[in-house]
Amino acid sequence: MADVSLRLLVLKTHNVVSVCAFYGSLGLTFTEEQHGKGPLHHSAPLGDGIIEIYPLPDDQTVDSTTRLGFAIADPDAAVESAASLGGRVIKSGRDTPWGYMALVADPDGRTVELYRA
């Protein structure tokens, strides 16, 4: 079986500024990018890959069923910060069979698992 790793994750939103601020509160550092005549978007390194936040056309709806998980140094502090930036706390931090984890929703409603690194 070949090794597989995630190299690119693209999230599309009507609220680029809010979504970038939310994920920035988790420790991601975004920069503006534009490839050729493509849309202006924001990009941040994520492990060996990249996460990008793109504007979603007005006539399309956000896919809030996407679920993400990140390992970060301090999930409890991130929950507080994320909540102040348009996120919603789903479950406060607690021990689980997979490690210490909290659940929040980003400004678009995507569930985000925050694990203690």
Side-chain angles (χ1 to χ4, degrees):
M1 183 171 184
D3 289 335
V4 177
S5 63
L6 185 65
R7 296 294 305 262
L8 174 66
L9 174 65
V10 175
L11 300 177
K12 294 186 176 184
T13 180
H14 296 294
N15 304 305
V16 172
V17 173
S18 302
V19 170
C20 285
F22 174 88
Y23 287 100
S25 76
L26 305 181
L28 296 168
T29 303
F30 288 92
T31 57
E32 285 188 347
E33 289 186 349
Q34 186 170 20
H35 308 294
K37 294 181 181 182
L40 182 67
H41 62 280
H42 295 77
S43 177
L46 178 62
D48 291 334
I50 296 171
I51 183 171
E52 294 182 328
I53 310 295
Y54 271 82
L56 184 66
D58 291 337
D59 64 340
Q60 295 182 11
T61 57
V62 171
D63 177 5
S64 61
T65 64
T66 300
R67 188 169 181 140
L68 307 168
F70 298 96
I72 59 177
D74 189 346
D76 294 324
V79 165
E80 289 180 33
S81 181
S84 73
L85 293 167
R88 178 177 50 85
V89 178
I90 298 172
K91 288 187 180 177
S92 297
R94 68 202 185 290
D95 288 316
T96 73
W98 306 277
Y100 189 83
M101 180 184 70
L103 288 176
V104 295
D106 76 7
D108 287 332
R110 295 177 196 92
T111 299
V112 181
E113 300 176 4
L114 302 175
Y115 294 91
R116 181 174 291 136

